[in-house]
């Protein structure tokens, strides 16, 4: 049976998820989780959370899916040991170094590859299987056909998202929050710059669109109507996004999907509940087709609620709505006024006349006839949701009771649950002949059935009971309590794991670098020649320039795509080295080429454990994460068993997206009609501060958003001693700039305008 996996950002959300019907929950401790701003679970609270879930037969997956700094490795190892003692059911990881440490200190805990690892093809899943992973969380950009093919070929479990917020960038590939504000999404602190306003402009700064300004803000994923097709793909787990969401949201969404899975259908009321509890409008993302601009909620980046009607009359302190939905006291309503902005109020005093509703004692400033009214908070739905995490348990497990009571002996009580777990205890009191009120089966059933706030409910009771027997009520309560405790312990035993031997990983000594080489990354033949003339030692390109570069006595490296979907192909041409962005391409390179393999910047290398792990995989060199600062880099260089590379100049890529703002809004991507305007001139996204972020596309029509400022470390090139290679990315430079900049890094200095030093002097949090 497919697993329903729910988020838990707090203990209340955990209760909501479990009681509403989740098969498993995912949560984080205080550190190393990709939602650092959720409430999350501290030490003892995490132990309590695991026990709460396990008693109810629900698995607990703990997210440790951030990239880990070298200074945090010991703390991370200690935390994994704690999770081992806590008997958690799985660990979600992004960082390969973190995965290697988890394998060392807690080898019996299954490893799940977080969606931050950008697993998007069958080769990636197979690579994970070879590394000992138990499950892959697939990228949210995949189609139903791609998911089905991956699941069919996968030797391990697969997991997909089915509901909640979407990232516009491929997960694990975004540097926008990091570069703009210093808050790294890869470290769990995304500031969500995609939810901010942008304009699509040309070189002259002209706004090209007659649309909303939230051009990077996706709608929320909703796959309720696609559930049968999703199950047919063979996927193992269906995941709801939302560790930052309120417990009311978790309860509502989990219950709707639980019912749909159990009943094999959903109702209009189910759909209304999903929309009411939170929505930015809904999309099925890329599951059925490329949605183009229909992916984006360009008018509003946050909850829009449910349309309940339009304004038909406006008074000084009241309005009248023509209703399309029910309204209740305590509901919050938002009026979208035509002149811009919103008027929001809580319904306290209203009068119904058929389909018309007059709401009194409210602020009506700016409201006009025909304005739309949205319910953004439903008091009744919220009260219903709160039943799942307040008060007595909702989800009960029936037990059968067997009793044996004879005069002169203690009473024996056995409770057995539906999964066969059983517990037995005897009273401390020896049964006596009754003087006044003998014990009856009705009394016995009443006392044994008082299971209160436990997870159990009494079903059938049977047994033998001597006539005219006396047993105090206190003794019955005591034996019931002890049997319940034993039965709970029996239910927890299934989650215990046998310890297995810790696998060995070869540890390599540091490598020594004598001279720092300059790598020029180019996209045209003219830039290649200019870079070589200016003193570049190596050329990196996705084009086959090997012969020309070798004639000049230099080395040529082949750049592979960051994303390579199931239907896409790439030819591994002759090269001295191949740069790979993910585990899938790494495996393909090993199979298809004898060249050296180097990892590129988006296969995050943030610590020495990752470097050692990659060395064991046969990697020959690594590009360090652009989120490291110089102090961290210098420390890593001293430890690294592989030659390291740093990108020191160029327009850094902030996002790569399957969504293209140019083709979606200036073309009709959703109708498979794109005029490829991106090839005719330059485009930019202009933010609210007036900064211009270049937008470019690749051969697969994926959108790349570049930084508004050019990275430049020319004045500090001497600080990269010990680094094997420094890279100048010339792809966004002119021919003249390419020659000037490469020459400057090789021999001297150059003046750069509107530049940034990236994270080399600030790092990330």
């Amino acid at each position: 049976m497919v697993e329903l996996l729910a988020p838990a950002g707090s203990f209340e959300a955990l209760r909501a998820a479990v009681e509403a019907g989740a098969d498993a929950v995912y949560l984080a401790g205080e550190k190393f989780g990709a939602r650092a701003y959720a409430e999350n679970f501290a030490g003892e609270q995490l132990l309590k959370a695991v026990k709460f879930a396990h008693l109810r037969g629900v698995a607990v997956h703990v997210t440790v899916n951030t990239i880990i700094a070298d200074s945090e490795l010991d703390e991370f190892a200690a935390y994994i040991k704690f999770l081992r003692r806590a008997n958690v059911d799985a660990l979600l990881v992004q960082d390969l170094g973190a995965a290697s440490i988890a394998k060392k200190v807690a080898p019996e805990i299954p490893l799940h590859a977080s969606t931050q690892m950008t697993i998007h093809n069958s080769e990636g899943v197979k690579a994970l299987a070879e590394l000992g992973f138990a499950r892959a969380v697939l990228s949210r950009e995949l189609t139903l056909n791609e998911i089905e093919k991956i699941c069919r070929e996968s030797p391990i479990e697969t997991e997909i998202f089915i509901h909640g917020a979407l990232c516009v960038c491929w997960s694990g590939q975004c540097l926008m929050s990091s570069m703009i504000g210093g808050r790294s999404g890869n470290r769990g602190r995304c500031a969500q710059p995609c939810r901010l306003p942008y304009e699509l402009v040309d070189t002259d700064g002209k706004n090209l669109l007659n649309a909303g300004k939230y051009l990077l803000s996706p709608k929320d994923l909703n796959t309720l109507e696609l559930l049968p097709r999703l199950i047919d793909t063979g996927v193992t787990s269906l995941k709801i996004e939302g560790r930052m969401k309120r417990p009311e949201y978790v309860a509502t969404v989990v219950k709707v999907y639980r019912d749909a899975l159990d009943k094999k259908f959903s109702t209009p009321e189910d759909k209304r509940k999903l929309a009411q509890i939170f929505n930015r409008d809904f999309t099925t993302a890329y599951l059925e087709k490329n949605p183009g601009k229909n992916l984006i909620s360009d008018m509003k980046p946050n909850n829009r609620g449910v349309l309940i009607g339009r304004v038909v009359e406006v008074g000084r302190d009241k309005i009248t709505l023509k209703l399309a939905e029910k309204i209740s006291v305590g509901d919050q309503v938002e009026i979208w006024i035509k002149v811009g902005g919103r008027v929001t109020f809580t319904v306290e005093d209203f009068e119904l006349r058929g389909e018309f509703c007059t709401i009194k004692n409210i602020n009506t400033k700016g409201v006009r006839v025909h304005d739309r009214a949205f319910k953004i908070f439903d008091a009744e739905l919220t009260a219903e949701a709160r039943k799942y995490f307040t008060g007595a348990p909702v989800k009960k497990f029936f037990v059968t009771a067997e009793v044996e009571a004879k005069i002169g002996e203690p009473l024996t009580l056995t409770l057995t649950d539906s999964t066969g777990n059983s517990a037995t205890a005897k009273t401390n009191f020896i049964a006596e002949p009754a003087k006044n009120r003998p014990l009856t089966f009705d009394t016995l059933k009443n006392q044994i059935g008082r299971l209160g706030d436990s997870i159990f409910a009494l079903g059938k009771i049977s047994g033998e009971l001597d006539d005219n027997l006396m047993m105090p009520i206190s003794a019955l309560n005591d034996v019931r309590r002890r049997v319940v405790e034993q039965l709970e312990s029996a239910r927890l035993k299934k989650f215990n794991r046998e310890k297995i031997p810790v696998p060995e990983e070869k540890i390599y000594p540091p490598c020594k670098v004598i001279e720092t080489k300059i790598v020029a990354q180019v996209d045209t033949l003219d830039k290649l020649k200019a870079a070589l003339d200016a003193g570049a030692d190596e050329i990196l390109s996705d084009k086959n320039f090997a012969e020309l570069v070798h004639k000049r006595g230099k080395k040529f490296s082949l750049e592979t795509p960051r994303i390579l979907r199931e239907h896409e192909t790439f030819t591994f041409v002759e090269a001295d080295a191949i740069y790979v962005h993910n585990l899938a391409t790494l495996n393909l390179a090993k199979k298809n080429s004898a060249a050296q393999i180097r990892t590129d910047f988006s296969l995050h290398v943030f610590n020495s454990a990752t470097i050692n792990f990659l060395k064991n995989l046969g990697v020959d060199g690594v590009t360090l994460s652009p989120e490291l600062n110089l102090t961290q880099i210098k420390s890593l260089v001293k430890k690294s068993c592989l030659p390291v590379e740093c990108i020191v100049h160029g327009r850094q890529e902030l996002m790569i997206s399957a969504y293209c703002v140019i083709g979606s809004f200036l073309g009709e991507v959703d109708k498979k009609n794109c005029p490829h305007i991106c090839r005719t001139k330059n485009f930019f996204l202009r933010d609210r501060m007036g900064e211009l972020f270049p937008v470019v596309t690749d051969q697969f029509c994926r959108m790349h958003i570049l930084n508004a400022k050019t990275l430049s470390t020319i004045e500090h090139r001497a600080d990269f001693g010990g680094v094997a290679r420094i890279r100048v990315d010339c792809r966004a430079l002119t021919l003249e700039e390419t020659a000037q900049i490469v020459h400057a890094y090789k021999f001297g200095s150059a003046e750069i305008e509107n530049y940034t030093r990236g994270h080399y002097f600030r790092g990330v949090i």
Side-chain angles (χ1 to χ4, degrees), residues 533-535 738-749:
D533 290 342
T738 298
Q740 177 192 14
I741 299 301
V742 173
H743 185 274
Y745 276 95
K746 187 73 173 181
F747 302 108
S749 61

Side-chain angles (χ1 to χ4, degrees), residues 222-228 253 255-274:
N222 182 336
T223 66
L224 188 64
E225 294 184 353
L226 290 179
L227 276 185
V253 176
K255 186 65 169 66
V256 166
Y257 277 93
R258 177 79 272 160
D259 288 348
L261 287 169
D262 292 345
K263 297 175 183 176
K264 306 293 190 294
F265 68 89
S266 59
T267 66
E269 177 60 12
D270 292 332
K271 297 168 189 174
R272 186 198 71 82
K273 287 179 179 179
L274 291 181

